[in-house]
Amino acid sequence: MTTQQIALVKSTWSEMIVLEQDPGIYFYDKLFSIDPSLKALFRIDMTEQARKFIEMITYVTFKLDRFDEVLQDAIDLGKRHHQYNVPTGAYKTVLVALIATLKENLHDEWNDDAESAWKLAYGKLTHAMITGNKD
């Protein structure tokens, strides 16, 4: 990822986490509307799950320029997803829900450059997670 792409991901995420509506709840609502079968994978309160999702995305987003520092965490997250029986195909569905969440909440701040940057960032994260998911 270029420095500009990383800055774009960081700036758009900074806008997301200060929205009045909880972006984590919005994301999971979107995810389950796309694939309701994924809801069965979650055994904890969705408010808690949404909080964890926001924390994880925030953590990775602000370390994109030092991704090697979070690489093992991403692999470990993939291992946990494997234990939870998360199908590898769900990562694509999550991407669709994440992009929709960003686009629908950021309005004028969202554009093709932002979408491309987010897809690259998500690709880095999921590559590491899928590596862990296969272990």
Side-chain angles (χ1 to χ4, degrees):
M1 292 185 73
T2 68
T3 303
Q4 290 174 328
Q5 290 168 321
I6 291 170
L8 190 53
V9 169
K10 287 180 180 183
S11 68
T12 52
W13 190 247
S14 293
E15 293 296 320
M16 283 295 294
I17 59 177
V18 297
L19 292 175
E20 187 173 319
Q21 180 173 351
D22 182 337
I25 297 294
Y26 192 97
F27 164 79
Y28 281 108
D29 286 347
K30 181 63 65 180
L31 180 67
F32 299 146
S33 73
I34 296 168
D35 186 347
S37 72
L38 293 177
K39 193 167 190 172
L41 296 172
F42 297 92
R43 304 211 186 331
I44 68 170
D45 175 68
M46 288 314 297
T47 302
E48 176 67 13
Q49 180 62 39
R51 184 191 60 75
K52 289 180 177 186
F53 174 77
I54 295 302
E55 286 176 357
M56 186 270 304
I57 295 292
T58 302
Y59 173 68
V60 172
T61 296
F62 290 101
K63 292 222 177 211
L64 277 176
D65 50 351
R66 301 178 316 276
F67 191 73
D68 56 313
E69 293 178 19
V70 298
L71 180 60
Q72 189 58 53
D73 293 329
I75 291 170
D76 292 344
L77 182 58
K79 288 178 182 178
R80 287 194 303 276
H81 282 179
H82 180 71
Q83 293 170 344
Y84 302 143
N85 296 314
V86 174
T88 303
Y91 291 103
K92 290 179 183 176
T93 308
V94 168
L95 175 61
V96 171
L98 178 60
I99 295 297
T101 298
L102 292 161
K103 182 178 183 177
E104 292 170 16
N105 283 281
L106 292 174
H107 309 290
D108 294 339
E109 294 155 37
W110 189 253
N111 57 39
D112 291 341
D113 290 339
E115 185 166 332
S116 293
W118 269 96
K119 285 180 177 179
L120 283 171
Y122 184 81
K124 286 181 75 148
L125 176 63
T126 56
H127 178 75
M129 291 176 65
I130 290 170
T131 298
N133 197 327
K134 291 180 180 178
D135 291 341

